[in-house]
């Protein structure tokens, strides 16, 4: 079977299928005991990302356990700033810690040359994963969109309101947009490298898109993502692209009309009916609140029926509105999968 004939890619292309495909954001992660074991073996989080053997193992774990319809490369969005030469660490209990960029000199130290070489182990992981994946299970590669990467590159860590990046944008727009240009080029190159190594679908995570002021979303969210998609499609015109501009509310309609992604991933605040007004037909991915994987069986059962009704009649890929949390319960994931497998 070719990946193009998989349930996942056929659904993306708009085919009528017996049931929707299922995968979860952060499906490889701390809610799985086997992930925690491999993570402990790896030492640091970056060692896990950069070991082809261990990254392959954790990518395949949720496929083996649950039989999801797509795998997602185990890596992180912050390997791009790392590959550009910024100091990036992951600290237990804190999350990512980067040496913040706040001046022209610090920006000039970023190095686009050879970024693909510094991420060679990611290409090796993609080849190993493909060797271990079923012929009917596509592999998703990904990047963080420039704005989301820049919130970490400028803030130095996860910032509740993305304040440092916004401050730089408003106080030193020239520096901000010079940086955006470099990060955008890095994003396109890394996606091209992943596609060359063998991913079947790509996803662009703009997790903090919602914090960009409305009047600046065109320049900082829509246009860079559009250019990245056009860039990768010069060599890979058919590659399916999933976009995830999280938290942009009603402005997602404009995004849908302007950004040529094949799949729009919806956060839990979105209503799929918004896209009935779009100027094209597009597949939707979403959007159950990950909280329902922490609660009771009855609460999840009700929510699954609500989700089925919400997406009825649409090209739908089952997923969450954001990543599954470390507290997510395995029984609830099993319940969710069983519901959708029988939902036809
Ligand atoms: O120690 C650990 O195990 C750390 C937890 C963890 C994991 C499992 C991090 C640190 N990254 C990842 C993997 C990861 N990250 C994947 C793997 C594939 C899969 O989905 O299974 C993916 C796609 C990401 C993407 C990612 N990283 C995003 C975008 C998606 C989202 O959740 O919004 C973001 C914002 C990050 C940054 C990041 N990586 C890790 C942390 C703790 C953070 C910060 C998150 C924050 O600021 O809230």
């Amino acid at each position: 079977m070719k990946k193009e004939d998989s349930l996942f890619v056929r659904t993306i292309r708009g085919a009528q299928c017996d049931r929707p495909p299922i995968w979860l954001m952060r499906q490889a992660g701390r809610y799985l005991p086997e992930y925690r074991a491999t993570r402990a073996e790896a030492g640091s989080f970056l060692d896990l990302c950069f070991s082809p053997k261990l990254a392959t193992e954790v990518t395949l774990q949720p496929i083996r356990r649950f039989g999801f319809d797509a795998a997602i490369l185990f890596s992180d969005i912050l390997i791009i700033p790392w590959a550009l030469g910024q100091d990036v660490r992951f600290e237990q209990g804190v999350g990512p810690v980067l040496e913040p960029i706040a001046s022209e000199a610090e920006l000039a130290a970023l190095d686009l040359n050879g970024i693909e070489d510094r991420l060679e182990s990611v290409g090796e992981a993609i080849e190993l994963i493909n060797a271990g994946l079923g012929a009917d299970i596509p592999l998703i590669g990904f990047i963080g969109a420039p704005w989301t990467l820049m919130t970490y590159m400028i803030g130095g860590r996860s910032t509740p309101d993305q304040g440092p990046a916004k401050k730089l944008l408003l106080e030193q727009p020239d520096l901000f947009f010079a940086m955006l240009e470099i990060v955008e080029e890095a994003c396109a190159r890394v996606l091209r490298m992943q596609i060359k190594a063998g991913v079947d679908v790509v996803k662009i995570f703009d997790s903090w898109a919602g914090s960009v002021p409305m009047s600046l979303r065109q320049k900082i969210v829509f246009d860079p993502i559009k250019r990245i998609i056009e860039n990768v499609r010069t060599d890979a015109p058919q590659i399916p692209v999933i976009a995830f501009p999280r938290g942009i509310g009603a402005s997602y309609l404009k995004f849908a009309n302007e950004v040529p992604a094949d799949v729009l991933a919806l956060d839990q605040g979105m209503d799929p009916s918004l896209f009935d007004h779009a100027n094209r037909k597009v597949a939707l991915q979403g959007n159950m609140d990950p909280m329902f994987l922490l609660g009771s069986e009855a609460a999840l059962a009700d929510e699954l029926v609500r989700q089925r009704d919400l997406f009825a009649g649409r090209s739908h890929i089952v997923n969450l509105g954001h990543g599954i949390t470390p507290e997510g319960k395995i029984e609830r994931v099993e319940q969710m999968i069983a519901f959708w497998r029988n939902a036809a």
Side-chain angles (χ1 to χ4, degrees):
M1 191 191 202
K2 294 204 309 279
K3 302 277 169 114
E4 191 64 33
D5 298 326
S6 63
L7 177 64
F8 187 60
V9 177
R10 279 187 300 129
T11 301
I12 293 175
R13 305 277 187 221
Q16 291 285 337
C17 299
D18 295 342
R19 65 167 178 88
I22 310 166
W23 71 283
L24 298 184
M25 282 190 256
R26 291 276 168 103
Q27 63 190 21
R30 284 172 290 178
Y31 75 109
L32 288 179
E34 58 269 39
Y35 171 84
R36 296 195 296 270
T38 311
R39 170 83 172 76
E41 191 190 324
S44 81
F45 178 74
L46 280 180
D47 287 338
L48 177 56
C49 291
F50 290 138
S51 156
K53 192 169 141 282
L54 297 181
T56 298
E57 169 58 22
V58 292
T59 299
L60 297 179
Q61 283 169 350
I63 308 300
R64 281 189 212 120
R65 183 189 271 269
F66 301 114
F68 285 122
D69 298 303
I72 181 161
L73 168 68
F74 190 85
S75 185
D76 197 81
I77 62 168
L78 298 175
I79 65 164
I80 287 186
W82 178 88
L84 283 169
Q86 194 171 6
D87 189 37
V88 179
R89 287 172 289 127
F90 285 83
E91 282 183 11
Q92 210 73 42
V94 180
V97 180
L98 298 82
E99 196 57 56
I101 294 176
S103 69
E104 258 170 61
E106 284 156 353
L107 181 63
L110 296 181
D111 184 11
L112 269 166
N113 288 324
I115 183 170
E116 293 90 348
D117 293 341
R118 287 191 287 282
L119 296 177
E120 207 181 350
S121 67
V122 176
E124 285 169 31
I126 290 169
E127 287 170 22
L128 271 182
I129 293 164
N130 273 330
L133 260 186
D136 53 342
I137 308 298
L139 176 61
I140 305 168
F142 68 91
I143 52 156
W147 164 253
T148 287
L149 292 181
M150 288 169 72
T151 68
Y152 295 97
M153 295 173 77
I154 297 164
R157 56 186 64 217
S158 181
T159 45
D161 56 359
Q162 294 72 57
K166 281 191 195 169
K167 190 163 180 279
L168 190 78
L169 163 66
L170 299 175
E171 285 181 359
Q172 298 185 71
D174 291 349
L175 182 61
F176 181 92
F177 284 102
M179 187 167 166
L180 179 67
E181 207 172 298
I182 292 169
V183 176
E184 182 182 314
E185 173 66 18
C187 287
R189 287 201 200 181
V190 170
L191 273 189
R192 293 170 86 104
M193 180 275 280
Q194 292 181 11
I195 294 166
K196 203 162 149 221
V199 302
D200 305 293
V201 174
V202 296
K203 180 163 178 182
I204 301 174
F205 286 94
D206 212 349
S207 303
W208 301 116
S211 66
V212 176
M214 287 295 258
S215 56
L216 290 163
R217 280 184 192 172
Q218 186 78 39
K219 258 181 113 172
I220 294 174
V221 176
F222 302 2
D223 292 346
I225 296 177
K226 181 167 184 235
R227 287 191 297 261
I228 290 168
I229 295 173
E230 287 167 350
N231 183 326
V232 301
R233 284 201 175 138
T234 57
D235 281 351
Q238 303 298 327
I239 189 88
V241 179
I242 308 173
F244 184 43
R246 191 167 72 95
I248 65 170
S251 69
Y252 211 150
L253 183 59
K254 194 160 191 289
F255 183 99
N257 286 338
E258 291 185 14
V259 180
D262 301 277
V263 181
L264 304 177
L266 310 187
D267 62 72
Q268 56 264 38
M270 296 299 306
D271 187 321
S273 67
L274 178 69
F275 303 96
D276 297 346
H277 307 284
N279 63 11
R280 63 191 181 108
K281 250 187 93 76
V282 59
L284 302 176
Q285 174 181 293
N287 75 339
M288 191 176 82
D289 193 316
M291 287 277 285
F292 285 98
L293 298 176
L294 315 182
S296 70
E297 185 178 347
L300 176 58
D302 285 350
E303 180 63 12
L304 288 168
V305 170
R306 205 186 67 85
Q307 281 271 307
R308 188 186 59 198
D309 295 346
L310 200 59
F311 285 94
R314 299 186 163 86
S315 293
H316 174 210
I317 295 162
V318 174
N319 207 310
L320 305 172
H322 201 196
I324 181 170
T325 59
E327 300 78 26
K329 289 183 191 161
I330 287 168
E331 314 88 86
R332 293 291 161 268
V333 176
E334 287 167 346
Q335 182 188 343
M336 178 179 176
I337 293 168
F339 173 87
W340 286 107
R341 292 232 169 98
N342 297 318

